[in-house]
Amino acid sequence: MTETTTTTRPVTIRDDVVIGGNDITLILGPCSVESYEQVRAVAEVLVAHGVRLLRGGAFKPRTSPHAFQGLGREGLEILRAVADEFGLLVVTEALGVEHVPLVAEYADIIQIGSRNMQHFPLLWAVGETDKPVLLKRGFMATVHEWLMAAEHIASRGNERILLCERGIRTFETATRNTLDTNAIALVKATTPFPVIGDPSHATGRTDLVIPAARAALAAGADGLIVEVHPRPEEALSDGQQSLPLEQVPALVDAARRIAEALGRGVPMPATR
Amino acid sequence: MTETTTTTRPVTIRDDVVIGGNDITLILGPCSVESYEQVRAVAEVLVAHGVRLLRGGAFKPRTSPHAFQGLGREGLEILRAVADEFGLLVVTEALGVEHVPLVAEYADIIQIGSRNMQHFPLLWAVGETDKPVLLKRGFMATVHEWLMAAEHIASRGNERILLCERGIRTFETATRNTLDTNAIALVKATTPFPVIGDPSHATGRTDLVIPAARAALAAGADGLIVEVHPRPEEALSDGQQSLPLEQVPALVDAARRIAEALGRGVPMPATR
Amino acid sequence: MTETTTTTRPVTIRDDVVIGGNDITLILGPCSVESYEQVRAVAEVLVAHGVRLLRGGAFKPRTSPHAFQGLGREGLEILRAVADEFGLLVVTEALGVEHVPLVAEYADIIQIGSRNMQHFPLLWAVGETDKPVLLKRGFMATVHEWLMAAEHIASRGNERILLCERGIRTFETATRNTLDTNAIALVKATTPFPVIGDPSHATGRTDLVIPAARAALAAGADGLIVEVHPRPEEALSDGQQSLPLEQVPALVDAARRIAEALGRGVPMPATR
Amino acid sequence: MTETTTTTRPVTIRDDVVIGGNDITLILGPCSVESYEQVRAVAEVLVAHGVRLLRGGAFKPRTSPHAFQGLGREGLEILRAVADEFGLLVVTEALGVEHVPLVAEYADIIQIGSRNMQHFPLLWAVGETDKPVLLKRGFMATVHEWLMAAEHIASRGNERILLCERGIRTFETATRNTLDTNAIALVKATTPFPVIGDPSHATGRTDLVIPAARAALAAGADGLIVEVHPRPEEALSDGQQSLPLEQVPALVDAARRIAEALGRGVPMPATR
């Protein structure tokens, strides 16, 4: 196969943030929205480091029905309130077709989770909204199936799609998943969609998040989505893979160094 | 780990067919409902061989949005009409939460597809119906995740669950998937749910369907779900893995021989 | 793909035992040869049930250099002495090229282990002996690579090859490996080589060995290789997957029932 | 799991080249040694860009026995002659125990191939030489098994081991293998061995080699081993993944930029 010449088509959100341009985009936040105080604590750190996108889960898909399933609408209200207070944009997941109108009302970017990558009715539903979609790759999906899922969304008229590589399932058990940097390089080179790397789910361990974030960017990712938490040890979900807020500066610095090595950048915080 | 003593809890449908008892249950039909004539041709062969369950897809989840997506409600009406005419029961898939009421109106057993095994809102929705659920294992789901998905259904009050092993995704490319007979033996030994094997999707090739059907039963499956078609070469989906109707007698005979070797049986056709 | 018509070419050993004919062949023995008494205890049970092939490891490939590595030449001498005493044939592994002459001197069938399936110098070395070769499939080898490995052996003049499916590595962790019954059916249908199933390594758990043995035979295997031990709980290797000798009758009975369902048989013990 | 503090123990070769120190090490050369002219053409480019390690295969493990198996001793002689002429060091594979003395005579670093990672007699044999060993991870090996293989080598007295991640086998078919950058980060953080990334085998396609090289270094690799060829389209093996010599400057530049972002460097060519 040969060098490709596809150029990424940037996605602009609220005439404000551009994803897929020269700058790297960071999307940070807790796995689950747990409280107003929790989200506010995260937002303060984001603003201090120039991060504009706040992620958080209000509806949580959990393997066990007995695990915390999220705050639902209250979680969305918390995200929106804190985001508006700090001038941030919200990325959050729609778990089912029935949630799409509600999520679209509160979110700036609608996330489709890994387990739902081939839930076609949901893809069609977000394809009929005017919100950008962060499409997580199924942990069992080939690159071909991932792009076909994007095609399901685009077929309903919404082409503002962000492809998110979050690790695939392999035989390796030392890490939660295997970050597929080959896939990042491949979709970056062969599709017009911006690519986001998720080092949190791809590794499942805090100590590997920053190296994996570097690898995703070096492979060509246009951004990163990373789970952070004020007190990971108390998180209601994914604590073992969440970065404590104290490590956000190290993450931003690592991303900036790799971005600059590639002739790209990471936005600086607005001066107050 | 040690020998287990769990006993299968049979699921009775319409006070008529029992799945998970001493007899093996066969569920046959086309991948997609294409026409009344097609389904009727299949039904005649089923009745002639004592098969009581008719499968067929009305809503088809397809990797590409440009592939045939099924006849929808019309497909359900065809299945019901033919089933009632021949005294058969209907097994068909609900693709999304929004389809559940409609599918529940026409089907005797609601199927959850492999791609939807972790679409929790759909699991909750079928968990609130009074219809038995055929839960296909996700092609990249561990046995633990599969049983947790069953738990999501049961948590809403519906414990009439049939676990269907339909092959998992591995590195092997000579077959579409890898039939996990270990998993069949394991869930049969450790859960109360009847287990169904799907040799069609597990192999993806007609020439391996009967050997795979034998293997599934030998591992302990209580039944088989097999794709058959009057003219596989003209099928709108899965033709390469559908058995032509002429091979139904060989399939039923193979199943009966293995069943008898295990002290079980396969129902004989009703004498007219 | 279409039905195939390849016929298995039986392999005859010492003008005595035929593998790949109408009868199913059982190959039983301990993972590791530990002592003369241990092997003798196993042999007595084999003879009592008509089993003619004794397996046992003298050179053990172990993941850790600190694990028991086998008795070496002494193990071979024990196997040969016991086999001759009871009129059995010996199947044992050659771990490296340098062991081939020694193993060929003591064994009736030389085993190539899963980890060595693509160790080409070893394949060439056994290809130059006059002993039948039991070629275990690599646990991450495609069917194509497995058949190419057989081709490496055959290319040196030795076509008396037995293909052994012993489970492949997948994402599933509930079992040690995943028995690939599709592969058994495929190589049985498309190659002239007899096929042996290994339910011990394929499951890694004693309670699943018999169901997996049934599945392998139902898929078309010409024989089974199974780890048995007088006291699995004291075994120096693979105890958790070894059948205690008390379960040999159940294994032989299960194999016979499936064999007969397929129009095949399992030899009865010689009457004394 | 928590942050680790293991420090890499550099490996020095011929009191000349240090691997695992602050500088990144590049190891370039053809998959197979085909001729003196071919290797010489490669060496000239290496020297021009400050690359000190020349790789090349003399004994080639090939899936098919009918594929080119390498030039053998003649290949070793060509590598040594060209390396001495240009002041380079040689990295080449020992395919079997029987080749170790010969390879040790010509090579500066002995490579153990992916298919041989668990061929223990070979690990023991190189463990008894005084040459550093480049241990490729089996494409099917867990990180634990990979480190146990290193332990087999070290158990014989040789601790000068370089761990090489060359991609693992997964369900993805768009690339030859999946580069496991998580594993690079993990072994870098938890073992004393230098880590080398192999973007050629990890991707299997020329157009992804440079992005994968960047990702490996960003994850923490101490070096890269890359297949290059004067005319990839005429290569006797691996042409589809070999970089043409014209792309060596781009590779070296990409490596240098990432290295510098990490506070490391890539040696500059000696001024003549």
Side-chain angles (χ1 to χ4, degrees):
Chain A
M1 314 204 192
T2 57
E3 288 284 352
T4 59
T5 57
T6 307
T7 312
T8 302
R9 193 172 55 215
V11 170
T12 302
I13 301 154
R14 286 192 166 190
D15 305 327
D16 180 357
V17 171
V18 177
I19 302 178
N22 194 64
D23 276 357
I24 295 300
T25 303
L26 299 180
I27 307 171
L28 272 54
C31 174
S32 300
V33 172
E34 299 169 5
S35 71
Y36 174 78
E37 294 63 30
Q38 171 218 32
V39 178
R40 203 175 185 295
V42 170
E44 286 175 336
V45 174
L46 267 51
V47 169
H49 294 85
V51 177
R52 298 295 313 286
L53 285 93
L54 171 67
R55 62 145 290 157
F59 298 97
K60 299 303 303 176
R62 306 301 297 280
T63 298
S64 165
H66 312 302
F68 175 62
Q69 308 286 323
L71 296 182
R73 175 189 286 271
E74 182 191 350
L76 295 175
E77 290 168 346
I78 291 170
L79 283 169
R80 187 74 265 166
V82 173
D84 291 345
E85 176 180 357
F86 289 87
L88 302 175
L89 301 183
V90 170
V91 182
T92 194
E93 177 171 356
L95 189 51
V97 168
E98 62 283 9
H99 298 128
V100 172
L102 180 65
V103 171
E105 181 184 337
Y106 289 90
D108 298 298
I109 298 177
I110 303 175
Q111 176 175 316
I112 298 298
S114 187
R115 297 181 180 83
N116 283 330
M117 192 203 84
Q118 289 194 309
H119 185 59
F120 303 116
L122 181 56
L123 301 180
W124 301 330
V126 296
E128 286 163 0
T129 70
D130 63 352
K131 300 285 185 174
V133 178
L134 180 88
L135 178 65
K136 287 205 160 190
R137 179 185 183 185
F139 56 70
M140 69 297 180
T142 62
V143 166
H144 173 73
E145 292 166 336
W146 188 20
L147 298 181
M148 281 295 107
E151 185 72 11
H152 272 274
I153 296 169
S155 72
R156 300 303 173 104
N158 185 354
E159 301 197 343
R160 299 168 72 208
I161 299 166
L162 310 172
L163 296 174
C164 179
E165 159 59 27
R166 46 79 72 205
I168 58 174
R169 173 166 282 176
T170 69
F171 60 81
E172 179 59 71
T173 55
T175 49
R176 179 175 178 180
N177 292 292
T178 299
L179 176 65
D180 187 356
T181 48
N182 285 356
I184 290 173
L186 183 59
V187 297
K188 178 66 176 176
T190 59
T191 81
F193 305 115
V195 185
I196 307 296
D198 174 351
S200 306
H201 290 86
T203 62
R205 11 187 315 178
T206 303
D207 63 330
L208 299 182
V209 167
I210 290 176
R214 284 194 191 101
L217 293 178
D222 298 295
L224 299 170
I225 183 166
V226 181
E227 291 183 338
V228 300
H229 196 284
R231 287 172 302 285
E233 64 286 0
E234 299 174 16
L236 296 183
S237 58
D238 285 356
Q240 77 295 341
Q241 71 190 34
S242 296
L243 278 192
L245 294 176
E246 301 67 46
Q247 287 190 41
V248 170
L251 172 68
V252 174
D253 179 66
R256 182 169 285 118
R257 287 168 176 278
I258 298 295
E260 289 170 353
L262 301 169
R264 307 182 75 166
V266 172
M268 301 299 284
T271 48
R272 298 301 178 81
Chain B
M1 313 201 192
T2 59
E3 289 284 352
T4 59
T5 58
T6 307
T7 313
T8 302
R9 192 171 58 215
V11 170
T12 302
I13 302 155
R14 286 192 167 189
D15 305 326
D16 180 358
V17 171
V18 176
I19 302 179
N22 195 63
D23 277 357
I24 295 300
T25 303
L26 300 181
I27 307 171
L28 271 54
C31 174
S32 300
V33 172
E34 298 169 6
S35 71
Y36 173 79
E37 294 64 31
Q38 171 217 31
V39 177
R40 204 175 184 295
V42 169
E44 286 175 335
V45 174
L46 267 51
V47 170
H49 294 86
V51 177
R52 298 295 312 286
L53 285 94
L54 172 67
R55 62 146 289 160
F59 299 96
K60 301 304 303 176
R62 305 301 298 280
T63 299
S64 165
H66 312 302
F68 174 63
Q69 309 286 324
L71 295 182
R73 176 189 285 270
E74 183 192 349
L76 295 175
E77 290 167 346
I78 291 170
L79 283 169
R80 188 73 266 164
V82 173
D84 291 344
E85 176 180 357
F86 289 87
L88 303 175
L89 301 183
V90 170
V91 181
T92 194
E93 177 172 356
L95 188 52
V97 168
E98 62 284 10
H99 297 130
V100 172
L102 180 66
V103 171
E105 181 184 336
Y106 288 91
D108 298 298
I109 297 176
I110 303 175
Q111 176 176 316
I112 298 299
S114 186
R115 296 182 181 82
N116 283 330
M117 193 203 83
Q118 289 193 310
H119 185 59
F120 303 116
L122 181 58
L123 301 179
W124 301 329
V126 295
E128 286 163 1
T129 70
D130 63 352
K131 300 285 186 176
V133 178
L134 180 87
L135 178 64
K136 288 205 158 190
R137 178 185 184 185
F139 56 72
M140 210 72 174
T142 62
V143 166
H144 173 73
E145 291 166 337
W146 189 20
L147 298 180
M148 281 296 108
E151 186 72 12
H152 272 274
I153 296 170
S155 70
R156 299 305 173 102
N158 186 353
E159 300 197 345
R160 298 167 73 208
I161 300 166
L162 309 172
L163 297 174
C164 180
E165 159 59 28
R166 46 79 72 205
I168 56 174
R169 175 166 281 177
T170 69
F171 61 82
E172 179 58 72
T173 54
T175 50
R176 180 174 177 181
N177 292 292
T178 299
L179 176 66
D180 187 356
T181 48
N182 284 356
I184 290 173
L186 183 59
V187 296
K188 178 67 177 176
T190 58
T191 81
F193 305 115
V195 185
I196 307 296
D198 174 350
S200 305
H201 290 86
T203 62
R205 22 188 303 182
T206 303
D207 64 329
L208 298 182
V209 168
I210 290 177
R214 285 195 190 100
L217 293 177
D222 298 296
L224 298 170
I225 184 166
V226 182
E227 290 184 339
V228 300
H229 196 284
R231 289 174 301 285
E233 65 284 2
E234 298 174 17
L236 296 183
S237 58
D238 285 355
Q240 77 296 341
Q241 71 191 32
S242 297
L243 279 191
L245 295 176
E246 300 67 46
Q247 288 191 42
V248 170
L251 172 69
V252 174
D253 178 66
R256 183 169 285 119
R257 287 169 176 277
I258 298 295
E260 289 170 352
L262 301 169
R264 306 183 74 166
V266 173
M268 301 299 284
T271 49
R272 297 300 178 81
Chain C
M1 314 200 192
T2 58
E3 289 282 352
T4 60
T5 58
T6 308
T7 313
T8 303
R9 192 172 56 216
V11 170
T12 302
I13 301 153
R14 287 191 165 190
D15 305 327
D16 181 356
V17 171
V18 177
I19 302 178
N22 194 65
D23 277 356
I24 294 301
T25 303
L26 299 180
I27 307 171
L28 272 54
C31 174
S32 299
V33 172
E34 298 168 7
S35 71
Y36 173 79
E37 295 63 31
Q38 171 216 32
V39 178
R40 203 176 184 292
V42 169
E44 286 176 335
V45 174
L46 268 51
V47 170
H49 294 87
V51 177
R52 298 295 314 286
L53 285 93
L54 172 67
R55 62 146 291 158
F59 299 97
K60 300 305 302 176
R62 305 301 299 278
T63 298
S64 165
H66 311 302
F68 175 63
Q69 308 286 323
L71 295 181
R73 176 190 284 271
E74 183 192 350
L76 295 175
E77 291 168 343
I78 291 170
L79 283 169
R80 187 74 265 164
V82 173
D84 291 345
E85 178 180 358
F86 289 88
L88 303 175
L89 302 183
V90 170
V91 181
T92 193
E93 176 171 356
L95 188 52
V97 169
E98 61 284 9
H99 299 129
V100 173
L102 179 66
V103 171
E105 183 184 337
Y106 289 90
D108 298 298
I109 297 177
I110 303 175
Q111 176 176 315
I112 298 298
S114 186
R115 296 183 182 82
N116 283 331
M117 192 202 84
Q118 289 194 309
H119 185 60
F120 304 116
L122 180 58
L123 301 179
W124 302 330
V126 296
E128 285 164 1
T129 70
D130 63 352
K131 300 286 185 174
V133 178
L134 180 87
L135 177 64
K136 288 206 160 189
R137 178 184 183 185
F139 56 71
M140 210 71 174
T142 62
V143 166
H144 173 73
E145 291 167 337
W146 190 19
L147 299 180
M148 281 295 108
E151 185 72 11
H152 273 273
I153 295 169
S155 70
R156 299 303 174 103
N158 186 353
E159 301 198 344
R160 297 168 72 209
I161 299 166
L162 309 172
L163 297 174
C164 180
E165 159 59 27
R166 46 79 71 206
I168 58 175
R169 173 166 282 176
T170 69
F171 61 82
E172 181 57 73
T173 55
T175 51
R176 180 176 177 180
N177 292 291
T178 299
L179 176 65
D180 188 356
T181 48
N182 284 356
I184 289 173
L186 182 60
V187 297
K188 178 66 177 176
T190 59
T191 82
F193 305 115
V195 185
I196 308 296
D198 174 350
S200 306
H201 290 86
T203 62
R205 19 189 307 180
T206 303
D207 65 330
L208 298 183
V209 167
I210 290 177
R214 286 194 189 101
L217 293 177
D222 298 296
L224 299 169
I225 184 166
V226 182
E227 291 184 337
V228 300
H229 196 283
R231 288 173 302 286
E233 64 286 2
E234 298 174 17
L236 296 183
S237 57
D238 284 354
Q240 76 295 342
Q241 71 191 32
S242 296
L243 278 191
L245 295 176
E246 301 67 48
Q247 287 190 42
V248 170
L251 172 68
V252 175
D253 178 65
R256 183 169 285 116
R257 288 168 177 276
I258 297 295
E260 290 170 353
L262 300 169
R264 308 183 73 167
V266 173
M268 301 298 285
T271 49
R272 295 300 177 83
Chain D
M1 312 198 192
T2 58
E3 289 284 352
T4 60
T5 58
T6 308
T7 313
T8 303
R9 192 172 56 216
V11 170
T12 301
I13 302 154
R14 287 192 165 189
D15 305 326
D16 180 359
V17 171
V18 176
I19 302 179
N22 194 63
D23 277 357
I24 294 301
T25 303
L26 299 180
I27 307 171
L28 273 52
C31 173
S32 299
V33 172
E34 297 168 7
S35 72
Y36 174 79
E37 294 63 31
Q38 172 218 29
V39 178
R40 203 175 185 293
V42 169
E44 286 176 336
V45 175
L46 267 51
V47 170
H49 294 86
V51 177
R52 298 295 314 284
L53 284 93
L54 171 67
R55 61 147 290 157
F59 299 97
K60 300 304 302 175
R62 305 301 297 279
T63 298
S64 165
H66 311 302
F68 175 63
Q69 308 285 322
L71 295 180
R73 176 188 285 270
E74 183 192 351
L76 295 174
E77 290 168 346
I78 291 171
L79 283 168
R80 188 74 265 163
V82 173
D84 291 344
E85 177 179 357
F86 289 87
L88 302 175
L89 302 182
V90 170
V91 181
T92 193
E93 177 171 356
L95 188 52
V97 168
E98 62 283 10
H99 297 129
V100 172
L102 180 65
V103 171
E105 180 184 330
Y106 289 90
D108 298 297
I109 298 176
I110 303 175
Q111 176 175 316
I112 298 298
S114 186
R115 296 183 183 81
N116 283 331
M117 192 203 84
Q118 289 193 311
H119 185 60
F120 304 115
L122 180 57
L123 301 179
W124 301 330
V126 296
E128 286 163 1
T129 70
D130 63 352
K131 299 287 185 174
V133 178
L134 180 88
L135 178 64
K136 288 206 160 189
R137 177 185 184 184
F139 57 70
M140 68 298 180
T142 62
V143 166
H144 173 74
E145 291 167 337
W146 189 20
L147 298 180
M148 281 296 108
E151 186 73 11
H152 272 274
I153 296 170
S155 71
R156 299 304 173 103
N158 186 353
E159 301 197 344
R160 297 168 72 210
I161 299 166
L162 309 172
L163 296 174
C164 179
E165 158 60 27
R166 45 80 70 204
I168 58 174
R169 174 166 282 176
T170 69
F171 61 80
E172 180 58 72
T173 54
T175 51
R176 180 175 177 180
N177 292 291
T178 298
L179 175 65
D180 188 356
T181 48
N182 285 356
I184 290 174
L186 182 60
V187 297
K188 178 66 177 176
T190 59
T191 82
F193 306 115
V195 185
I196 307 295
D198 174 351
S200 305
H201 290 86
T203 62
R205 27 190 298 183
T206 303
D207 64 329
L208 298 183
V209 167
I210 290 177
R214 285 193 191 103
L217 293 178
D222 298 295
L224 299 169
I225 183 165
V226 182
E227 292 183 339
V228 300
H229 196 285
R231 287 173 302 286
E233 64 286 1
E234 298 173 17
L236 296 183
S237 58
D238 284 354
Q240 78 295 341
Q241 71 190 35
S242 297
L243 279 191
L245 295 176
E246 301 68 47
Q247 288 190 40
V248 170
L251 172 69
V252 174
D253 178 65
R256 183 169 285 117
R257 289 168 176 277
I258 298 295
E260 290 171 353
L262 300 169
R264 307 183 74 167
V266 173
M268 301 299 285
T271 47
R272 296 300 178 80

